[in-house]
Amino acid sequence: MTVRVQQTSNDYGIVVEPLSGEVIAWRGDQMIARSTRARVMYETRLSPVVYFPVEDILAELEPAPAHKTFCPFKGTASYSHVRLGEDLSENGAWHYPKALPEGQAVDGCFAFMPGVATRIEHQGAAIDDLPAGNISGPVVDWLLREAWLAKSPEELLAALGSKLVEDGIAVSRMSILIWSLHPMIAGQNCLWLRDEDEVTSRYPSYEILESPIFKESPFQHVADGLGGVRQKLDTNPDEFNFPIMEDLKEQGVTDYVAMPLPFSDGRINVLTLASDHPNGFTTANLGLIFECSALISRLFEVFALTSNATTLLETYLGKRTGARVLGGEIRRGDGDVIDAAILFCDLRHSTRLETELGRDRYVAVLNRFFETSTDIVNAHDGEVLKFIGDAVLAIFPASAGHAQACSQAVASAEEIVAALAEPDPEMEDTSLSCAIGVAYGDVTYGNVGSKERLDFTVIGSAANVAARLGDHGKINGKSIVVSEEVAKVTDFPAESLGSLSLRNVSEPIEAFAITPETTERQ
């Protein structure tokens, strides 16, 4: 399907007219520009802007390469500081080094930011405004009334693409890159194709940021704050020589735009649009999209904030706990009393390892310990609640019964011991050992702490007993020590350690040592 309609219900426009006679720009009582070749640009909903040929600028212009802005009609604007003696106006003037078609009439000309030129004289006459213009139609109505009902960024992007087509814009594909706050995933890239009317999503890792594919893409250019990209594939092909342009041209694309989509936290996300109309996008087309871009950005930011909140809570609290906090259990005292098996795993010889390995390598060892423990606990439907120094506290709720929770905890303990004992070739064959305590009982699972600093954790004798059983095993060379409530409902080979008096535990505890198996339990 090829859309050839290019009519929208808005009348966004750009008009550039020459100004006859002399035009003078003043800053206070100092003349900063004087020209008989000045021209004025009228743009919908903006005040008229006077452009002066660079040769007629009297003030000193100092390039400011760090600052750029993007207009899909005129191109990427480069800025200069405006200096008059000791008076410096930072980023006070702009121009378009490679103006797009709508802006070619001001090619080679500079305009001053509001306030830099305190007045502009044109033969004593004022420069009149054009009518403000109107931005309306199906896209605007949908954005204001229905877009918020979308349940996902994919659904929002697909609906936006369909509405743009409905409004007469020949957009053939559209994508959005949203950066994330995730320890492994850099962001989400959604792509909508009109002819397929579907959205595909990719979640690139941080490694892709160093790849040539990304570094030589419009995404990199825009995300780095270098302005947007507008490429009419039959006109200025040398301005943005990105490899993807040739691919898009072969697919029938005639016009391509990548524009910044800033979020409120300052991160620059990227929205791209491609057209297959013979004449590309019209000024009215891009005017509609550009004018609505701030609202589009906020709609996508809602999904990003939710995703980031979920990711951060899962990363720092765990999936189960993170979901409870995100679900509203945020007040001190919120929580439940549950039955659960508690696993406490402590890395052995930690002090010696730090001394022998040095801080950086020790941190790498510690990360291996935490990652190994977490992956195994998660695989057995448990959840790591927290890392305490060089120890791991995990919980296995008895949602499927006492025996199931205890079996999951002990199976996790066996696998952790075996996995850590395997030499790590990346750490010069460093093998690790640990001491694990497992206990079962009712615990309070919820928020404790101060009014301003809460911790979602477990409180109860089972948690204390698990930690003390781990301490006993550490001192007495036992890798896994469990309470009687755990040993009696599991089929793991266990050696009775008798009744143990544990520190800070009021009553003696019947304990058992589990001998880790090196073969997979059938």
Side-chain angles (χ1 to χ4, degrees):
M1 179 180 73
T2 302
V3 173
R4 295 305 185 195
V5 176
Q6 285 291 88
Q7 297 177 349
T8 58
S9 54
N10 72 79
D11 53 5
Y12 198 100
I14 294 176
V15 176
V16 178
E17 296 179 348
L19 291 170
S20 60
E22 188 175 67
V23 181
I24 301 175
W26 298 87
R27 180 166 176 78
D29 59 358
Q30 291 185 285
M31 190 182 298
I32 59 176
R34 182 176 186 175
S35 179
T36 58
R37 300 175 297 156
R39 56 211 71 175
V40 60
M41 176 179 288
Y42 300 99
E43 184 172 350
T44 299
R45 301 204 315 116
L46 298 178
S47 299
V49 176
V50 176
Y51 284 82
F52 294 88
V54 63
E55 299 85 3
D56 297 338
I57 304 291
L58 304 179
E60 184 180 353
L61 298 178
E62 300 177 0
H67 185 60
K68 295 180 184 292
T69 58
F70 172 66
C71 171
F73 324 112
K74 302 182 286 290
T76 298
S78 294
Y79 284 73
S80 295
H81 306 313
V82 179
R83 181 179 292 279
L84 283 170
E86 297 300 318
D87 181 13
L88 180 69
S89 299
E90 293 189 358
N91 304 320
W94 78 85
H95 74 295
Y96 297 96
K98 296 180 178 179
L100 293 171
E102 291 91 340
Q104 285 178 351
V106 296
D107 193 17
C109 298
F110 277 78
F112 296 108
M113 290 293 290
V116 174
T118 54
R119 71 184 189 279
I120 296 179
E121 297 177 353
H122 174 225
Q123 298 180 334
I127 299 174
D128 296 328
D129 286 348
L130 284 183
N134 180 50
I135 303 296
S136 63
V139 172
V140 175
D141 290 344
W142 172 76
L143 284 171
L144 293 176
R145 299 173 184 174
E146 301 177 42
W148 65 274
L149 295 170
K151 302 300 183 184
S152 68
E154 291 89 349
E155 183 179 335
L156 178 61
L157 187 66
L160 176 60
S162 297
K163 286 297 176 183
L164 290 174
V165 172
E166 180 184 336
D167 214 351
I169 301 175
V171 56
S172 58
R173 57 179 278 157
M174 187 164 51
S175 74
I176 184 169
L177 174 63
I178 304 174
W179 300 114
S180 67
L181 288 176
H182 192 284
M184 299 179 66
I185 298 172
Q188 180 180 8
N189 178 210
C190 302
L191 172 65
W192 172 80
L193 299 175
R194 183 196 62 218
D195 292 347
E196 298 178 13
D197 194 23
E198 65 178 19
V199 175
T200 56
S201 288
R202 296 186 300 113
Y203 300 87
S205 66
Y206 288 100
E207 285 73 17
I208 199 173
L209 302 183
E210 301 301 321
S211 69
I213 294 177
F214 182 78
K215 288 188 173 183
E216 298 174 7
S217 73
F219 284 147
Q220 173 83 77
H221 180 91
V222 177
D224 283 351
L226 300 177
V229 172
R230 170 78 185 282
Q231 185 69 66
K232 302 252 321 182
L233 300 186
D234 58 348
T235 55
N236 51 342
D238 296 330
E239 180 178 359
F240 298 116
N241 190 23
F242 300 112
I244 193 175
M245 297 302 176
E246 286 301 320
D247 296 337
L248 293 175
K249 194 171 183 179
E250 291 178 2
Q251 296 169 23
V253 170
T254 58
D255 201 350
Y256 176 89
V257 177
M259 64 175 64
L261 209 62
F263 280 4
S264 58
D265 61 1
R267 286 182 301 161
I268 301 176
N269 305 280
V270 187
L271 177 68
T272 76
L273 305 101
S275 175
D276 57 359
H277 190 276
N279 297 324
F281 293 115
T282 67
T283 300
N285 294 159
L286 292 182
L288 171 65
I289 298 167
F290 196 59
E291 286 289 284
C292 295
S293 63
L295 179 53
I296 293 170
S297 178
R298 291 299 174 267
L299 289 168
F300 278 106
E301 186 169 3
V302 170
F303 294 114
L305 289 173
T306 301
S307 175
N308 288 339
T310 301
T311 295
L312 290 173
L313 287 171
E314 289 181 355
T315 299
Y316 286 94
L317 298 179
K319 278 194 174 183
R320 186 180 287 111
T321 303
R324 295 182 69 141
V325 172
L326 197 61
E329 293 189 27
I330 58 174
R331 299 178 61 189
R332 184 167 60 171
D334 282 350
D336 300 309
V337 176
I338 64 171
D339 291 329
I342 307 297
L343 180 149
F344 191 90
C345 178
D346 196 2
L347 179 65
R348 300 186 67 183
H349 312 303
S350 183
T351 302
R352 175 175 61 80
L353 285 171
E354 182 178 5
T355 301
E356 292 178 353
L357 298 176
R359 180 62 55 83
D360 291 343
R361 292 183 61 215
Y362 172 68
V363 169
V365 166
L366 202 57
N367 285 336
R368 177 198 168 197
F369 166 65
F370 289 145
E371 183 170 358
T372 298
S373 303
T374 301
D375 288 347
I376 292 173
V377 167
N378 289 342
H380 288 278
D381 294 327
E383 182 169 7
V384 170
L385 287 182
K386 62 179 60 183
F387 304 129
I388 307 170
D390 58 358
V392 174
L393 175 64
I395 183 174
F396 297 81
S399 53
H402 176 186
Q404 179 73 7
C406 292
S407 295
Q408 290 169 334
V410 177
S412 297
E414 279 199 332
E415 290 183 25
I416 291 170
V417 171
L420 293 178
E422 290 292 326
D424 184 356
E426 295 183 4
M427 295 300 299
E428 297 183 2
D429 295 332
T430 301
S431 60
L432 304 175
S433 62
C434 62
I436 300 177
V438 181
Y440 181 86
D442 60 15
V443 291
T444 298
Y445 177 44
N447 282 309
V448 297
S450 69
K451 294 179 180 178
E452 297 181 353
R453 177 66 172 88
L454 295 176
D455 186 16
F456 207 105
T457 187
V458 288
I459 300 171
S461 61
N464 187 39
V465 169
R468 300 311 169 203
L469 290 174
D471 289 343
H472 179 84
K474 195 172 186 179
I475 295 170
N476 294 278
K478 302 294 185 181
S479 297
I480 305 171
V481 180
V482 305
S483 66
E484 184 178 21
E485 291 84 358
V486 174
K488 69 183 181 182
V489 296
T490 61
D491 59 356
F492 295 87
E495 169 196 354
S496 176
L497 301 178
S499 183
L500 303 180
S501 295
L502 304 174
R503 183 167 60 91
N504 293 333
V505 177
S506 58
E507 299 291 335
I509 298 295
E510 290 292 328
F512 295 80
I514 303 293
T515 303
E517 295 184 355
T518 57
T519 58
E520 183 178 352
R521 179 174 292 272
Q522 299 298 318

